[in-house]
């Protein structure tokens, strides 16, 4: 079975500081993709960053980086230099290459609030 | 380039009524998906279409039907709406391979009374 766990229902961060949003996953598939999405209050789902299970280096996209620890099955999102516009829900998701390959399995999300 | 579009944005139904949610993508993607998002539960897959002409059930298909009308369009139908189907519905699309990102539409808020 595939499972994504986000244990932080809510997080606060001071503007311009860095913040880490936790994500752990469980899968028996040897190959999989890990994704982070942002959902602002307007409701749309915005793709942020992707990490493949066989990628040697951690993914980075601008102020977003993914701290991938395969042995621990964790894929934490790091946002550097937080901005007020970063306030949103953040979802971690996994897509296995084989079992349920067409499904993105989502965690329950973390609500991030950036404080001025 | 509009990406993924969904109509309507918001709908109120009475129990037992039917409706169809429309989705279209202009990215020439092969695969399309329908998810529902309930409070505190993240998104769950209802149905997907890996390619034109094929559809398959996801995690929560009961009470829904889908049609892949052509490569661009993928519709979700509620034949007899129930209050448990009150949710936000997202359509998404992606290229064929499993590691490709899924791109989401803006969502449809459905309230069933």
């Amino acid at each position: 079975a595939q499972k994504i766990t986000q244990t932080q229902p809510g997080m606060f961060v001071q503007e311009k500081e860095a913040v880490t949003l936790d994500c752990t996953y469980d899968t028996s598939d040897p190959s999989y993709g890990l994704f982070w999405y942002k959902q602002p209050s307007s409701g749309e789902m915005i793709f942020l960053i992707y990490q493949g299970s066989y990628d040697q280096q951690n993914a980075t996209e601008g102020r977003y980086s993914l701290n991938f620890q395969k042995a621990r099955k964790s894929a934490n999102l790091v946002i550097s230099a937080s901005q007020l516009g970063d306030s949103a829900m953040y979802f971690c998701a996994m897509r296995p290459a084989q079992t349920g390959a067409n499904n993105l399995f989502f965690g329950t999300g973390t609500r991030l609030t950036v404080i001025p | 380039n509009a990406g993924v579009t969904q109509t309507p944005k918001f709908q109120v139904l009475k129990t037992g009524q039917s409706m169809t949610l429309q989705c279209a993508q202009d990215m020439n993607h092969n695969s399309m998906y329908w998810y529902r998002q309930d409070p505190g539960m993240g998104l769950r897959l209802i149905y997907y279409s890996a390619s034109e002409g094929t559809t398959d059930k996801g995690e929560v298909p009961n009470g829904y039907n889908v049609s892949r009308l052509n490569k661009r369009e993928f519709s979700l139908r509620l034949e007899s709406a129930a209050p448990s189907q009150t949710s936000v519905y997202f359509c998404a699309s992606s290229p064929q391979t499993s590691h490709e990102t899924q791109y989401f539409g803006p969502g449809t808020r459905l309230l069933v009374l």
Side-chain angles (χ1 to χ4, degrees):
Chain A
Q2 327 292 338
K3 187 176 181 181
I4 301 288
T5 302
Q6 294 180 254
T7 57
Q8 306 155 315
M11 288 283 287
F12 291 87
V13 64
Q14 203 76 36
E15 193 178 5
K16 300 181 184 178
E17 298 291 314
V19 63
T20 298
L21 306 184
D22 294 341
C23 173
T24 59
Y25 59 91
D26 190 20
T27 181
S28 55
D29 275 66
S31 178
Y32 47 88
L34 296 158
F35 304 81
W36 277 91
Y37 286 85
K38 173 184 178 181
Q39 187 176 43
S41 58
S42 52
E44 70 269 32
M45 296 289 287
I46 302 168
F47 165 71
L48 295 178
I49 195 166
Y50 162 79
Q51 176 84 44
S53 59
Y54 289 114
D55 292 344
Q56 295 297 313
Q57 293 188 321
N58 287 344
T60 60
E61 289 286 348
R63 294 186 299 110
Y64 304 108
S65 61
L66 201 153
N67 184 0
F68 180 46
Q69 298 187 47
K70 192 171 183 177
R72 294 186 178 184
K73 293 189 173 180
S74 75
N76 299 339
L77 177 70
V78 180
I79 304 175
S80 62
S82 296
Q83 302 171 356
L84 295 178
D86 294 334
S87 293
M89 283 289 289
Y90 288 81
F91 290 94
C92 178
M94 178 189 63
R95 188 171 186 181
Q98 297 174 11
T99 307
N102 288 288
N103 192 1
L104 258 183
F105 294 89
F106 282 84
T108 53
T110 296
R111 181 172 298 282
L112 177 67
T113 302
V114 180
I115 303 167
Chain B
N1 189 337
V4 181
T5 57
Q6 293 181 234
T7 55
K9 286 185 167 52
F10 182 72
Q11 184 73 45
V12 179
L13 291 178
K14 294 181 180 178
T15 297
Q17 287 185 319
S18 62
M19 79 162 295
T20 299
L21 281 65
Q22 306 287 352
C23 174
Q25 53 92 9
D26 62 2
M27 295 177 283
N28 201 36
H29 287 167
N30 287 316
S31 302
M32 298 185 73
Y33 314 82
W34 277 104
Y35 290 87
R36 60 178 288 172
Q37 183 180 27
D38 300 305
M41 296 188 70
L43 279 74
R44 292 179 295 168
L45 184 67
I46 305 171
Y47 269 92
Y48 67 93
S49 171
S51 61
E52 187 178 354
T54 69
T55 61
D56 282 289
K57 295 178 180 179
E59 292 179 78
V60 288
N62 291 345
Y64 305 96
N65 285 300
V66 290
S67 295
R68 184 73 182 267
L69 304 170
N70 48 54
K71 191 171 185 179
R72 291 187 62 249
E73 298 172 288
F74 189 39
S75 63
L76 178 72
R77 183 161 177 84
L78 287 70
E79 291 292 350
S80 179
S84 61
Q85 294 178 304
T86 292
S87 189
V88 180
Y89 292 85
F90 286 96
C91 178
S93 71
S94 75
Q96 188 70 51
T97 60
S98 65
H99 284 197
E100 293 286 344
T101 300
Q102 293 185 15
Y103 296 92
F104 286 80
T108 294
R109 291 186 176 274
L110 176 65
L111 175 62
V112 183
L113 301 174

